[in-house]
Each structure stands twice: as structure tokens, then as C-alpha cells.
Amino acid sequence: MESQTILENDAEIDFKEVSRVLYHHRFFVLKVVLGCFVLAALYAFLWPPTFEAVTTVKVPESTQSTSNAIRQLAMMPTGGDPIETYLQIAQARSVAEYTIQKLKLGSNTEFPEYLHFNDPTGQKLIRALQKNVKVGNAKQSNVITVQADAGTPSAAAQLANTWAEGFIQVNLELSRESAQNRYQFIHEQLTEMKQKLVSDEALEKNYLDPTHEAQADEINYKWLLEQDQEARIAANVDDSGIVVMDAARPPDLRLKPKIGLTLVLGLMVGLFGGIVLALLREKMQDRVKQEDDIQRATNLTPLAIIPNFRQKDGKDAFSTTERFSPKYLIDNPYFEFSAYRESFKVFRTNLTFSHVDQKLQAISVFSSNPEEGKTLVNSDLALSLSHTGKKVLLIDADLRKPSISILFGLKVDKTIGLPMLLAGKGDIEDMIVKFGPENLWVLPNGFIPPNPAELLGSSTMKKLIQDLKREFDYIVIDGAPILPVTDSVVLATYLDGVVLMGRYDKTRRSEIHRAAKLLQAVNAPVLGSALNCVDMNRSSYGYGYGYGYGYGYGHDAKQKNDQVTLNKLN
């Protein structure tokens, strides 16, 4: 099955993967949590507080009798919810205007949130006030609540009580206006009825011999006379029927921000946001952080985890001001019992047993891009193989940027190197250099040819490898990176085994995936993968390579070890 990158292949993220990602980004998550907590604390302690006060009023359970009378006289059908009518009145602009005038909002310093409104029409001030006052009703009751928000407890109580007072006053004015209109209507009807009775020439006769019409007129006149008196009284009544049940008092606690709840929410939002951002960051970075990343991207079996050579026992072995040349790593006793040195023993063992039914002689560790440490890995792998007593040859086949000579501290001229051998201009016995007492020979390169890919893909190269197999047990070849050029891709077809390597937190999963596809396209014998330069301080692998038996880090010990290494190099 064709391999996919982790971004394409991972429909589900298991708990192990999530734990690894969160552990790797733990400091980032912590920063997000602290940032959200600080913002929540700033909001909780510095944001102007809001207090809420509530006034409850009781309204009549039904419309007044006068209203029913008007409907009866006007032949209007009864209907509508009176409580809903009261709610609409309680939210009316006239109530807001009454409150503004009574409390002198816009100039009263006790209500600073309304001081900046300079609208001549007052509409902005009214809208701002209406946003801070909420009117509600308990279902199936005739109780209305007025909730008012303000910056201080006393201001909130004043606002709620004044709004309720305005509601009562507006209802009273409406009742008076309604009663006055009713009185005028009844009085007009009474006047017409009186004129009808007076103008009736047969009024006396009708009394002696009353007809149904005369009796009806007389009854209506008497009834209208009674209603006229009631309407006159109602027009002068100073009571809307609405009473305050509980006047608002200054609240003890703020409505918002609530300090405890805000801080807890800040932590929760920070934690959740940090986790989500960490997962997104991991996806966007597309970096290999563990062997599973490479395995998902390439479908190759992991063969080695190589720690950062600048660390020992999980700590940085050197200060930032101390330059440590990579050549000191070549068989340096300073790292004899370190995780870095032990990882190559594991690498050597896994590589040897990766294909037990096939003899592996010509092998190489390839990288996707430059500066991923392939030259150092190939060199230490060759050295580790030589420790088994086998005869090993390390060839510098990076014909564009050779660096084996720099790593081993060798002086090489242009007459030495693989291009010269392939061109038939010299013998290999005159070009290879034996490294110290080990069974390791090195073929450096001092000449950069104009056609590296053609040389490495030639039949001469294939024949050279076959000839060298008869002289050496292992041939480790250091080639160019795969993605920038095709040199290593064509070279891989002549080898017995290839390992595709990625560098911790540098190589992208998409890049190593493309490199694996290129090798698969030419049927290269890819044995597995390796992860180089793993940061043991940040990764979750732990320290399992025999720590605790190494040399000390004193200045004298360092000088002694460096001198041993220089003697070997010379």
C-alpha cells in the first residue's frame, strides 16, 4: 500500500500521539495557559465592575372595567394579553425618557457610562439605557421584574427603582388619558340621548302609554348618566393599579466580572486553547519528532534513534561559547559510554539482522536534505562496523560537497577521490587512508566533477563496487542528499542496502515521504529508517543506553581525550 504522510494518513489521533505532542509542546501550552490566565486576571480586576439591582412590581390581573365599557359601547371584541401589554409599556421609550430626566443621565457623575453621549436628539442615550435595563415576567403571574445594570450598587438600585417609577407614571398617564377619552365618549352619548328625550313630543304620552322604544331610551339614558358620573371620577383618579412589591436595594455582589469564575474560565480556555493550538502547530510544522513520524511517512521500519551528539546523560555537554569540532566524535573516548555511541551499536545490530537471508556489504545512509547529519552518521556507522573486526571502507561519494576529509581532518588534493578512480586515473590502494588501529579505511574526495550523477550511475561505478566487495567486508558510502539532486538515487540501485534518515525537529514529513518515493521508484533496496540528532531533553525516549559509566567532564579529562583522538587522526 502506498505510504502517506501523517497529515494525510492520520484520520484518528491516538492518546499516545496526543501525549507525545503535548509533551513536546508543553512549554507552548503553558505559555498559552498563562497568557489566558493573565488576560482573565486583568479583566477580572481592572475591568469596570457591573452591579445588578432588581425591582418587582405587581400589575392588575385584568384590564380595568372602564376599558371593558368602552369596548362594549364601541362594539369592539375583547382580546389580547394584558400582561404582555404591560411588558411592552415597561420597555417603551417614554419610560426611558422619564428615567433620564429624573436621574439627569448624561450629566450625573454617579452614572459615568452615560456621560459621553452628546447626541442632541437623545436617541443614543435612550438606546444605551435600554440595553442596561431588562424587563421580565414570571410565567402565569402578574408580577413584572425590572433588572438594571450600573457601575455601582447604589446607581443600579436607583436606576431600577426610577425605571419602575417611570413605568407606573406612564401607566397612570395612559389610564388618565383613557378615562378622559371614555368620559368624553359617554358624555357625548348622554347629550345626544338627552336631546332625543327632550325633543320627543309624545314624551308625556309615552309615559302614560309607553312604547318599547321610549322605554329603551329611558333605560339607556339612566345607564349613560351613571357611566358619565363614573367616568368623571375615573378621569380624576390618581392610581394606575400598579404597586411596587420589592424596591431594589444596592446589591452586595457584582454581576460581572466575577473574579473566581473568570479566573477559572481563563485557565480552562487557556488549557483547551493551548492543546488545540499545540495539535495544530504540530500539524503545520510537519517535522519528524519520533520514529513513528518517519514510519507513517515512509512505511519503513525504524532501525535507529541517534541522540544529539552534543548531549550526554540528557544534558548539554558543551557551553555555547565552546566550539566542538565534529571530528572529535570519531572514536572519541569522551563519548565511549554515551547514548550517542551506544545508539550506533543498536543501529549496527538492527542493520545486520534486517535481512538475514541477504548479505549486506555495500550500504549507505541517505538524507532528504543537506545539513541533516548523514556524513557523521555514515562515518560513525562505518566505525561501529569496524569494531566487530570486519574490514570496512568508507567512501565519500558526495561529489558536490565532499566533507569526509574535513570530518577526519585529512588533507586531500584533486588527484584523490572517487571521480579519479572512475576515470581510471589512479589506484585505490594509493588513495585510501587507514584510520588509526581500527579496521577502517577512508576514501576521501578532493575533486568535484561536472557530471556527478552520470559518474555514479555508470557501469564503471557498479563494477567498482563489485571489485571492492572482494577486498572489504563492508563498504559504507556517503552520498549527496536525495531531494536536491539525483546522485544518490542512481547510486542506490548498485547498493545492497539503503537507510533513509531524518533529523529530529528539522526534516519535514512531506520531504522524507518524497525521498522514500524516489527510492521506491528505482526499486532501491531500502532497509529501513533512522532518526538522527534526537534532543533527549525534549523527546520522550528517555535515556536507555547505559548512562552512568562515562568519563567525567573536567577540563583535564577533556584535554586528555582530545589528545587521544588527535593522535588517532594523525
Side-chain angles (χ1 to χ4, degrees):
M1 182 176 65
E2 188 173 298
S3 61
Q4 299 290 331
T5 65
I6 187 173
L7 294 177
E8 299 170 344
N9 194 35
D10 254 359
E12 297 181 359
I13 301 179
D14 55 21
F15 289 106
K16 181 180 179 181
E17 172 68 8
V18 172
S19 300
R20 183 198 66 79
V21 172
L22 295 182
Y23 179 81
H24 176 72
H25 295 285
R26 61 191 183 277
F27 296 112
F28 173 76
V29 174
L30 181 60
K31 290 179 181 178
V32 174
V33 172
L34 290 178
C36 290
F37 181 78
V38 170
L39 291 177
L42 292 175
Y43 170 74
F45 292 103
L46 300 182
W47 192 265
T50 300
F51 296 87
E52 183 180 76
V54 180
T55 299
T56 58
V57 296
K58 180 179 179 298
V59 298
E61 297 183 2
S62 63
T63 57
Q64 297 179 351
S65 60
T66 55
S67 299
N68 290 331
I70 295 175
R71 291 192 178 95
Q72 293 172 7
L73 290 174
M75 303 298 293
M76 296 173 56
T78 59
D81 186 358
I83 299 300
E84 184 64 28
T85 302
Y86 280 118
L87 287 175
Q88 293 299 322
I89 295 174
Q91 301 173 72
R93 184 179 61 182
S94 56
V95 180
E97 292 173 345
Y98 177 91
T99 305
I100 291 173
Q101 294 176 2
K102 185 66 178 294
L103 296 178
K104 298 181 180 180
L105 299 182
S107 60
N108 191 343
T109 57
E110 192 173 355
F111 298 88
E113 57 267 39
Y114 303 109
L115 294 177
H116 62 281
F117 291 99
N118 298 320
D119 181 20
T121 63
Q123 297 302 313
K124 294 183 179 179
L125 180 57
I126 291 175
R127 287 195 294 268
L129 179 60
Q130 288 176 330
K131 289 181 181 180
N132 291 331
V133 178
K134 300 178 182 63
V135 179
N137 167 244
K139 290 189 179 297
Q140 297 181 350
S141 73
N142 59 330
V143 176
I144 292 179
T145 59
V146 178
Q147 299 176 347
D149 299 342
T152 62
S154 60
Q158 288 184 62
L159 190 57
N161 289 329
T162 306
W163 190 279
E165 180 183 326
F167 168 59
I168 294 174
Q169 185 64 31
V170 169
N171 271 277
L172 181 59
E173 293 175 358
L174 292 175
S175 298
R176 288 175 177 173
E177 183 178 354
S178 176
Q180 184 66 33
N181 292 334
R182 177 174 177 270
Y183 169 73
Q184 292 178 359
F185 175 78
I186 295 176
H187 191 72
E188 290 174 0
Q189 296 295 318
L190 180 62
T191 303
E192 292 178 2
M193 185 62 68
K194 185 177 180 180
Q195 291 175 355
K196 183 177 181 182
L197 292 176
V198 171
S199 63
D200 192 349
E201 297 178 355
L203 180 59
E204 183 177 356
K205 180 180 178 180
N206 289 338
Y207 275 132
L208 298 176
D209 185 15
T211 62
H212 294 293
E213 183 178 358
Q215 290 178 355
D217 291 342
E218 182 67 22
I219 293 173
N220 288 336
Y221 177 79
K222 292 180 179 180
W223 182 82
L224 286 172
L225 187 61
E226 294 176 359
Q227 294 298 320
D228 182 70
Q229 294 175 354
E230 291 180 4
R232 186 185 298 110
I233 296 173
N236 296 311
V237 171
D238 195 16
D239 183 13
S240 63
I242 303 175
V243 295
V244 176
M245 294 179 58
D246 291 313
R249 296 181 180 180
D252 297 328
L253 301 176
R254 63 174 66 184
L255 175 65
K256 59 182 179 181
K258 296 180 179 179
I259 296 177
L261 180 61
T262 301
L263 296 180
V264 172
L265 288 177
L267 287 175
M268 293 178 63
V269 170
L271 182 60
F272 178 77
I275 292 174
V276 172
L277 290 176
L279 295 175
L280 291 176
R281 189 182 187 190
E282 180 75 8
K283 295 292 183 180
M284 294 176 65
Q285 286 181 342
D286 190 29
R287 311 280 185 178
V288 293
K289 300 293 197 314
Q290 59 178 7
E291 54 188 358
D292 290 345
D293 293 341
I294 300 181
Q295 187 172 12
R296 291 191 184 99
T298 63
N299 203 26
L300 298 175
T301 303
L303 298 178
I305 300 172
I306 304 171
N308 186 348
F309 66 85
R310 297 185 185 276
Q311 292 180 346
K312 186 174 182 182
D313 298 336
K315 301 177 180 179
D316 291 338
F318 314 101
S319 65
T320 55
T321 58
E322 183 180 13
R323 297 191 58 82
F324 191 75
S325 174
K327 71 180 181 180
Y328 291 157
L329 293 174
I330 306 301
D331 202 26
N332 191 338
Y334 190 79
F335 292 94
E336 184 174 355
F337 297 102
S338 67
Y340 179 78
R341 184 63 62 209
E342 293 296 322
S343 68
F344 281 94
K345 296 180 181 179
V346 177
F347 190 10
R348 178 186 66 197
T349 302
N350 292 339
L351 191 62
T352 303
F353 289 96
S354 60
H355 286 70
V356 293
D357 57 344
Q358 178 183 355
K359 186 176 182 180
L360 299 177
Q361 284 187 271
I363 57 179
S364 179
V365 178
F366 289 145
S367 65
S368 305
N369 293 299
E371 299 181 0
E372 293 183 351
K374 64 170 181 57
T375 300
L376 184 59
V377 170
N378 279 310
S379 300
D380 274 314
L381 176 60
L383 183 63
S384 181
L385 290 171
S386 71
H387 288 165
T388 63
K390 302 294 183 179
K391 190 176 181 182
V392 182
L393 174 64
L394 174 63
I395 300 178
D396 192 344
D398 188 347
L399 305 186
R400 299 175 187 269
K401 191 178 179 181
S403 55
I404 291 292
S405 58
I406 300 175
L407 186 64
F408 282 82
L410 303 176
K411 295 182 179 180
V412 182
D413 56 38
K414 295 184 178 181
T415 61
I416 295 178
L418 183 60
M420 292 300 175
L421 283 179
L422 296 177
K425 298 181 180 180
D427 298 325
I428 189 170
E429 291 81 6
D430 299 330
M431 296 186 184
I432 59 175
V433 179
K434 191 174 186 302
F435 176 70
E438 309 296 341
N439 295 320
L440 177 64
W441 280 260
V442 179
L443 175 58
N445 181 38
F447 179 74
I448 299 178
N451 55 345
E454 288 76 4
L455 286 176
L456 295 175
S458 64
S459 58
T460 306
M461 181 66 186
K462 182 178 182 180
K463 182 178 184 303
L464 176 63
I465 293 177
Q466 296 299 327
D467 294 341
L468 292 176
K469 285 182 179 180
R470 290 190 288 268
E471 297 294 331
F472 296 92
D473 297 310
Y474 290 103
I475 303 170
V476 180
I477 301 179
D478 180 50
I482 293 178
L483 294 183
V485 292
T486 61
D487 302 7
S488 294
V489 176
V490 297
L491 173 63
T493 58
Y494 299 152
L495 304 180
D496 300 323
V498 171
V499 176
L500 185 57
M501 184 194 75
R503 179 164 181 164
Y504 175 86
D505 204 20
K506 179 177 177 63
T507 305
R508 295 185 180 276
R509 290 185 284 261
S510 55
E511 294 172 343
I512 201 169
H513 172 71
R514 294 204 311 272
K517 295 295 292 182
L518 290 174
L519 293 174
Q520 292 172 7
V522 297
N523 295 320
V526 184
L527 304 177
S529 63
L531 182 59
N532 184 35
C533 209
V534 176
D535 188 345
M536 290 299 186
N537 294 328
R538 299 170 57 191
S539 67
S540 57
Y541 291 110
Y543 313 102
Y545 290 112
Y547 284 107
Y549 301 95
Y551 289 88
Y553 290 122
H555 179 69
D556 295 338
K558 180 180 185 304
Q559 285 186 334
K560 178 180 179 181
N561 293 331
D562 289 349
Q563 186 61 45
V564 171
T565 301
L566 291 175
N567 291 337
K568 290 185 178 182
L569 292 174
N570 295 330

